[in-house]
Amino acid sequence: MSYHDMTIKDIVGKISTNEVYLPAIQRRFVWGYEQIEKLFDSIMLGYPIGTFLFWKVEKSQANDYTFYKFIQEYHQRDNYLNELAPKPEMKDWIIGVLDGQQRLSSMYLALQGSYSYKKPRARWDNDDAFPKRLFYFNLLRDEFDEDEGITYEFKFLTDSEAEYIDEKHFWIPVKEALKWKEATDYIAYATRKNYLSNSIFIKNLTLLWQRIIQDKIINYFEVEAKELDSILDIFTRVNSGGTVLSKSDLLFSTIVANWEKAREEIEELLKNINNKGEKFNFDNDFIMRLCLVLTDCPVLFNVKNFKKENIQIIRNNWDGIKDAIKRTVDLLVEFGFSQENLTSRNSIIPIAYHIFKGGCLSNDDKKNFKIYLITSLLKQTYGGKGDQVLDSIRNALREEIDGNYVIKNENFTIDILINHKLPADKTLTFTKEDIEELFEYKKSPYTFMVLSILYPHLKLGQVKFHQDHLHPISAFTNTNLKKSGIDISKLKKWYEDKDKLANLQLLEGIENESKNKTPLKDWIENKIDNKPLYKTTNYIPNLDLSLNNFELFIEERKKLMINELVKFLRVK
């Protein structure tokens, strides 16, 4: 391992001429524009920006691995993934970046590209919300700002923003510095702009030229390891010093290093499933764990044990894995789930396992899937010791025949899981005491799950439903309650109970906005045509529905809801 240094201009030039690439084991570029602006402030101040680690690869070897180009025109919505490097473009020797990807990507974007990020409060589906911004330096500032925590002002600006000039602002594109070979070049620039007599302007130009063109800021170690295992070991060691890599991160690195299209395949899958319904936030970690469980690998895994043959198993089964997870997420949408209320991603893996292994997907299976899913989420089955629980549930679903694992039943039978003993005192069994505790939940993802059980007729995957307060929140002010003659000793309890399960219903979004602050009694009397049906489907007890009767309303509605929950959750 040898030590070298070079200038920022040198490394940016090498990236531009296809001499420096990103190995597939690197994660994608994630730095925000503010991080890039602060990086250049540190560079101008002469602060160390860390050592880099480069992998020198001969072209004959480079063809055996997968590399990606640096992003030049970053777009927060449309272009945030690195492009695969075409092998014919590679030189006799190339450099793969093992440590320093985010910093180098930031420098390259700043000096050779653009950064388009969404304007505040703008819609994601609005193309105009992502204006193209180039990287600029304010030549008229060199004082520390306590609020911003920076001395030198760098900004990604649109063309119109960069045109603004006053006594404290003169914006120069930072890439302009790459054109200056000698000091006379930036002096000529100052002369053309009529700022030759401005000392701050000249000082900043000089410092920018020195930092970008002259100073050898890029200090790096260079390794020439030939075996991928050695590179993975180095990568693991150097990257564990900062953000600690999870086991699934390392497995992902191993997979993409041995399977050329893995990153594209996984990112395409994530884009597909995350855009379903009201959106989800699945990530690489989830996909890696899913691959392990579905292909019957150990759930508690050791990255070093995953050799090429294990990766080959995942690769050979990839189409089936993709299909299983897509169909599983379709079920989530049908059940009304999204990133807002899916409180455990591990909980859906047994469903995907059943589908992947060829299990049925009838209406009865769907009902059992829903019972299992909501039960596991409400019981927080995967909270703590989740790996052990997942392994145990998989064992309950499968059996080994002639060296292969198959599911015990083509139909998803919830009773197998309810009666299965799980580790760490976890359980999928509901008791009456558990049901009682559900009514202590305030409006949250958990109350949505319970309400989705109580409103089985609603098409949750087709229409957006809100959790609505039957007795509206606006009624529960101290002033209003006292005015209604409510016993002062009950005020606190009533205020707590108003947000709990027994005062919530599922209501279509538009209808919820219409109902708004209307008292429950007035709403039913004046807005509901079929009052008996409405009361039955919404578990409304036959009693006086004025606010003064809130305590009895809660007690009686709770009884009606419990009767249905006991049946659905298979309470013994």
Side-chain angles (χ1 to χ4, degrees):
M1 185 180 294
S2 53
Y3 184 81
H4 306 276
D5 55 30
M6 68 174 81
T7 66
I8 292 178
K9 180 181 180 181
D10 289 337
I11 191 64
V12 169
K14 288 181 180 294
I15 295 173
S16 299
T17 54
N18 302 311
E19 296 177 60
V20 182
Y21 289 99
L22 298 169
I25 53 179
Q26 286 282 15
R27 287 171 284 187
R28 68 180 180 87
F29 178 66
V30 295
W31 271 27
Y33 64 92
E34 292 175 326
Q35 288 174 283
I36 302 175
E37 293 165 0
K38 288 183 178 180
L39 171 66
F40 274 81
D41 180 53
S42 296
I43 290 172
M44 291 289 283
L45 289 167
Y47 294 166
I49 58 171
T51 303
F52 298 82
L53 184 63
F54 295 160
W55 172 25
K56 189 175 181 182
V57 191
E58 192 174 358
K59 184 174 183 178
S60 60
Q61 292 177 267
N63 289 330
D64 295 331
Y65 307 120
T66 302
F67 291 91
Y68 290 84
K69 288 185 172 183
F70 284 76
I71 298 177
Q72 186 169 3
E73 305 294 334
Y74 181 87
H75 191 289
Q76 190 179 9
R77 185 192 66 186
D78 298 335
N79 190 43
Y80 54 86
L81 302 177
N82 298 86
E83 179 186 347
L84 191 65
K87 289 188 169 66
E89 289 188 19
M90 292 186 176
K91 311 294 183 181
D92 291 337
W93 287 90
I94 65 165
I95 293 172
V97 179
L98 295 180
D99 188 32
Q101 174 211 357
Q102 303 295 329
R103 288 166 287 161
L104 288 181
S105 294
S106 298
M107 293 177 198
Y108 186 60
L109 277 173
L111 290 162
Q112 292 284 271
S114 62
Y115 197 113
S116 301
Y117 59 89
K118 188 175 75 68
K119 293 190 291 189
R121 296 178 296 282
R123 292 174 57 89
W124 280 88
D125 58 0
N126 180 5
D127 292 340
D128 295 331
F130 301 86
K132 184 175 181 178
R133 295 175 169 92
L134 301 182
F135 198 57
Y136 286 87
F137 175 41
N138 181 9
L139 288 169
L140 296 180
R141 169 174 154 177
D142 65 348
E143 295 180 351
F144 180 72
D145 186 301
E146 290 187 3
D147 293 332
E148 295 182 345
I150 58 174
T151 299
Y152 295 95
E153 189 173 18
F154 290 89
K155 294 287 183 185
F156 280 99
L157 303 174
T158 62
D159 291 341
S160 59
E161 290 171 336
E163 290 175 358
Y164 177 75
I165 297 175
D166 61 15
E167 66 277 5
K168 292 186 178 181
H169 295 88
F170 184 99
W171 299 102
I172 179 176
V174 179
K175 65 181 180 181
E176 189 77 16
L178 296 176
K179 302 176 183 178
W180 303 331
K181 296 181 180 179
E182 305 291 340
T184 52
D185 294 329
Y186 68 77
I187 293 300
Y189 177 87
T191 302
R192 290 196 305 273
K193 301 298 181 180
N194 296 318
Y195 276 88
L196 188 60
S197 60
N198 189 301
S199 59
I200 296 178
F201 192 97
I202 296 299
K203 172 191 169 186
N204 283 338
L205 273 180
T206 303
L207 190 58
L208 182 66
W209 177 65
Q210 288 176 341
R211 295 289 188 253
I212 303 296
I213 307 300
Q214 285 195 315
D215 296 345
K216 294 187 176 182
I217 290 172
I218 308 300
N219 301 297
Y220 64 96
F221 288 100
E222 188 175 82
V223 297
E224 294 186 25
K226 295 184 178 181
E227 296 299 324
L228 181 60
D229 287 345
S230 300
I231 294 302
L232 282 171
D233 182 62
I234 294 170
F235 178 76
T236 301
R237 289 171 184 268
V238 299
N239 282 279
S240 293
T243 301
V244 178
L245 299 179
S246 69
K247 290 181 179 180
S248 53
D249 285 330
L250 296 178
L251 175 59
F252 180 70
S253 299
T254 308
I255 287 178
V256 296
N258 287 282
W259 176 14
E260 183 172 306
K261 294 185 178 180
R263 177 179 287 185
E264 284 82 1
E265 289 284 347
I266 293 172
E267 287 175 345
E268 185 62 32
L269 173 61
L270 286 171
K271 186 182 297 185
N272 180 288
I273 61 178
N274 283 336
N275 282 320
K276 288 180 180 288
E278 292 294 319
K279 312 298 183 187
F280 293 90
N281 56 357
F282 298 110
D283 55 17
N284 286 338
D285 188 277
F286 171 74
I287 298 299
M288 289 302 96
R289 185 166 303 284
L290 186 79
C291 288
L292 291 174
V293 176
L294 268 56
T295 55
D296 294 297
C297 290
V299 177
L300 288 169
F301 59 87
N302 185 331
V303 175
K304 291 184 178 180
N305 292 333
F306 284 86
K307 305 298 182 183
K308 289 185 178 180
E309 54 267 27
N310 301 91
I311 298 170
Q312 192 62 41
I313 293 173
I314 295 173
R315 186 174 181 178
N316 291 343
N317 288 279
W318 181 244
D319 287 342
I321 292 171
K322 283 197 300 184
D323 180 66
I325 184 58
K326 286 178 181 178
R327 293 169 72 185
T328 301
V329 177
D330 285 338
L331 282 177
L332 292 180
V333 174
E334 185 176 330
F335 297 158
F337 283 94
S338 68
Q339 62 186 1
E340 293 180 1
N341 51 34
L342 183 65
T343 55
S344 169
R345 292 180 291 191
N346 278 346
S347 64
I348 74 170
I349 294 180
I351 300 176
Y353 186 80
H354 176 84
I355 295 173
F356 175 73
K357 291 293 185 178
C360 295
L361 200 54
S362 66
N363 288 334
D364 284 341
D365 291 306
K366 289 183 179 181
K367 181 179 179 180
N368 283 326
F369 284 144
K370 187 173 181 179
I371 295 172
Y372 151 74
L373 180 61
I374 292 178
T375 300
S376 68
L377 294 174
L378 290 175
K379 297 286 289 185
Q380 300 182 35
T381 307
Y382 293 92
K385 305 294 183 181
D387 289 338
Q388 295 178 30
V389 172
L390 192 55
D391 187 52
S392 181
I393 287 179
R394 182 177 64 174
N395 286 333
L397 295 174
R398 69 181 182 177
E399 61 183 346
E400 188 175 3
I401 299 178
D402 297 330
N404 296 312
Y405 284 106
V406 297
I407 49 175
K408 294 177 181 177
N409 296 289
E410 289 186 358
N411 295 107
F412 191 85
T413 309
I414 187 62
D415 291 333
I416 291 178
L417 297 182
I418 289 178
N419 296 322
H420 182 66
K421 183 174 175 58
L422 296 174
D425 294 324
K426 300 289 184 177
T427 180
L428 288 169
T429 301
F430 256 96
T431 65
K432 289 187 177 180
E433 290 75 16
D434 294 328
I435 297 289
E436 289 282 345
E437 288 181 9
L438 295 179
F439 287 85
E440 292 302 309
Y441 279 123
K442 290 188 176 181
K443 184 178 177 181
S444 67
Y446 295 107
T447 53
F448 167 81
M449 296 172 204
V450 180
L451 291 171
S452 72
I453 296 171
L454 297 169
Y455 290 81
H457 58 287
L458 299 182
K459 303 295 183 182
L460 298 177
Q462 300 174 18
V463 180
K464 179 70 173 178
F465 286 89
H466 294 176
Q467 295 187 68
D468 170 66
H469 292 77
L470 285 162
H471 284 283
I473 296 178
S474 57
F476 290 87
T477 62
N478 285 347
T479 302
N480 191 48
L481 292 175
K482 289 177 181 178
K483 189 184 298 183
S484 301
I486 308 302
D487 188 335
I488 194 169
S489 64
K490 296 179 180 179
L491 291 182
K492 183 176 181 181
K493 186 176 188 311
W494 281 34
Y495 193 79
E496 289 287 315
D497 287 347
K498 79 179 190 308
D499 293 317
K500 291 181 180 178
L501 181 61
N503 190 41
L504 298 176
Q505 67 173 338
L506 286 182
L507 198 61
E508 190 174 339
I510 297 175
E511 193 176 9
N512 183 35
E513 293 172 3
S514 172
K515 178 176 179 290
N516 200 6
K517 298 179 181 180
T518 307
L520 177 61
K521 186 175 182 178
D522 294 347
W523 170 259
I524 293 178
E525 288 180 356
N526 302 321
K527 298 293 184 179
I528 304 300
D529 294 328
N530 191 336
K531 294 177 177 57
L533 177 63
Y534 178 82
K535 288 185 176 182
T536 299
T537 56
N538 288 280
Y539 308 93
I540 306 296
N542 290 314
L543 46 78
D544 179 12
L545 297 177
S546 55
L547 184 62
N548 300 50
N549 214 22
F550 179 68
E551 188 172 11
L552 182 59
F553 167 80
I554 290 295
E555 291 176 2
E556 294 303 313
R557 186 169 190 251
K558 180 177 173 182
K559 292 176 184 178
L560 297 174
M561 298 167 83
I562 286 177
N563 288 337
E564 185 64 24
L565 292 173
V566 165
K567 290 184 287 185
F568 184 91
L569 295 173
R570 311 288 181 92
V571 176
K572 296 182 179 179

